[in-house]
Amino acid sequence: MSEELNWCMRDKTPQYAKWQAKDGDTVITLYESGKVVFQGKDADLSSDFWITTEKINSGKVDVKNSSQDKKDKLDKKSFTDPKVYYTSSIGSDEVGTGDYFGPIVVTAAYVSKENIEFLEELGVKDSKKLTDIQILEIVPKFIKQIPYESMILTNKQYNENYSSDLNMNKIKALLHNKVLFKLRNEIKGYQYIIVDEFAKPYVYYNYLKNTPNVVRNITFFTKGEDKHLAVACASLISRFIFINEFDKLSKSLNINLPKGASTIVDEIGKKIVNEYGFDKLKEIAKLNFKNTEKIKEIN
Ligand code: MG
């Protein structure tokens, strides 16, 4: 949670709280005791999302307050369904949303039934276990055979557009919709459009309510990479592009930029500010992350 919510952390926290974050309309507070409190209009929705995520990630289903019915639904959701897996489908996934430095990359990819075996042999099935070096090796081996659409949101664009009305999840929704719309128009005969779930479907569509060309009939899956190789390919292509952009950025600054949003990021950020001035961060980092304030504080 700490990692995922890093971008919307508040500077001031209540007493005995480790952190407090404002994600859309929900204020989330983690206390030192380990207790998490959700407040606001979408509090139920948000807590439900995090409980589900936690259950899936830990493999536990025995969480307090959850009915048997809910557990069954959850088990079904984390299970790879052959009826979905062995289809010709479109999938999308994004990277860079948890990284202070570097762009956000979103990709939609199409994997036909005929390509499943080929991709499995390449190791795409276990894409989450792949290192950056392996990704750089594997993606060029399939990228010509897999139709895809990618979009890069630069840090400059991100910083200029980010506002209380345009939070990270809304940005993700807009980008997913764009690449899905483009790819869907190129592909005939797909069975599913699968998005690696980052927001409840109704929240996702609500973000797009004033957007033209909204792609509907999406199937949302948590752990989407396991559900269909189109999502795994989308994830890998996004990571491939991200790694390359990140390397370019590092080289242009002559500094080895760290990924993520940890304290090392703050130190390197300070180094960059000392060398290039604060305005440089506008081009290379996501300024609304808590890291920016920390960078300002470091002497
Ligand atoms: Mg994802």
Side-chain angles (χ1 to χ4, degrees):
M1 276 185 90
S2 306
E3 231 169 76
E4 288 279 327
L5 292 169
N6 196 294
W7 64 275
C8 60
M9 292 270 174
R10 285 178 160 173
D11 294 330
K12 288 206 178 108
T13 53
Q15 206 179 2
Y16 305 119
K18 272 191 167 168
W19 51 251
Q20 187 169 62
K22 190 168 190 300
D23 183 13
D25 292 323
T26 312
V27 175
I28 305 165
T29 313
L30 171 70
Y31 287 93
E32 281 160 8
S33 64
K35 184 174 162 185
V36 184
V37 175
F38 298 83
Q39 292 161 294
K41 209 171 70 190
D42 295 329
D44 285 351
L45 194 73
S46 181
S47 64
D48 193 46
F49 168 80
W50 284 108
I51 289 169
T52 305
T53 306
E54 167 62 16
K55 279 198 257 183
I56 290 169
N57 287 346
S58 64
K60 275 185 226 155
V61 284
D62 191 22
V63 172
K64 255 190 272 171
N65 302 328
S66 83
S67 64
Q68 189 59 42
D69 185 41
K70 248 181 171 176
K71 280 184 209 167
D72 290 347
K73 228 162 99 193
L74 195 71
D75 282 346
K76 224 180 258 169
K77 229 182 167 186
S78 55
F79 170 69
T80 301
D81 183 353
K83 276 189 227 134
V84 177
Y85 187 84
Y86 293 104
T87 59
S88 300
S89 293
I90 290 171
S92 64
D93 199 12
E94 83 290 327
V95 297
T97 53
D99 299 281
Y100 184 61
F101 297 118
I104 292 170
V105 185
V106 182
T107 301
Y110 170 69
V111 170
S112 67
K113 268 190 270 187
E114 292 70 32
N115 273 325
I116 291 172
E117 208 185 319
F118 156 70
L119 291 167
E120 282 179 345
E121 272 166 26
L122 280 179
V124 170
K125 205 180 171 185
D126 295 313
S127 60
K128 283 184 299 298
K129 290 177 200 148
L130 298 177
T131 63
D132 283 2
I133 292 163
Q134 286 171 316
I135 288 166
L136 292 175
E137 260 171 30
I138 213 173
V139 171
K141 288 181 186 161
F142 71 73
I143 202 157
K144 286 202 184 87
Q145 257 153 284
I146 304 298
Y148 72 97
E149 287 288 345
S150 290
M151 275 196 69
I152 301 174
L153 185 76
T154 65
N155 295 112
K156 195 164 174 281
Q157 291 168 317
Y158 176 86
N159 292 323
E160 281 168 5
N161 289 300
Y162 193 93
S163 66
S164 57
D165 184 50
L166 188 57
N167 65 33
M168 184 65 96
N169 274 353
K170 190 170 176 180
I171 289 174
K172 284 189 203 175
L174 291 167
L175 293 173
H176 273 267
N177 185 61
K178 269 192 183 162
V179 290
L180 287 171
F181 181 75
K182 276 193 193 170
L183 188 65
R184 192 193 59 178
N185 290 345
E186 295 164 25
I187 304 296
K188 296 214 160 52
Y190 62 84
Q191 200 163 339
Y192 293 96
I193 298 177
I194 301 164
V195 170
D196 190 32
E197 185 173 312
F198 57 88
K200 291 269 180 238
Y202 90 82
V203 177
Y204 174 89
Y205 288 119
N206 190 43
Y207 286 135
L208 300 174
K209 65 181 174 211
N210 299 319
T211 307
N213 304 327
V214 174
V215 174
R216 308 231 168 232
N217 300 322
I218 292 172
T219 306
F220 292 89
F221 280 122
T222 49
K223 292 200 173 179
E225 289 182 60
D226 298 337
K227 304 304 186 295
H228 199 280
L229 289 181
V231 181
C233 283
S235 168
L236 286 179
I237 295 168
S238 294
R239 281 162 75 185
F240 180 82
I241 296 170
F242 180 81
I243 294 164
N244 281 316
E245 291 296 316
F246 203 85
D247 279 356
K248 269 194 252 168
L249 214 56
S250 283
K251 280 195 187 111
S252 75
L253 295 163
N254 225 346
I255 291 174
N256 240 334
L257 292 175
K259 300 202 174 83
S262 64
T263 48
I264 307 155
V265 167
D266 302 335
E267 285 160 34
I268 298 293
K270 186 68 196 174
K271 243 172 116 177
I272 293 166
V273 169
N274 283 343
E275 210 161 311
Y276 299 95
F278 183 80
D279 277 1
K280 190 73 189 170
L281 288 182
K282 291 179 189 168
E283 295 164 34
I284 62 162
K286 300 176 188 82
L287 287 186
N288 70 304
F289 276 38
K290 215 178 169 186
N291 302 82
T292 305
E293 288 310 310
K294 292 201 182 130
I295 288 167
K296 281 182 187 166
E297 280 165 23
I298 303 171
N299 291 306

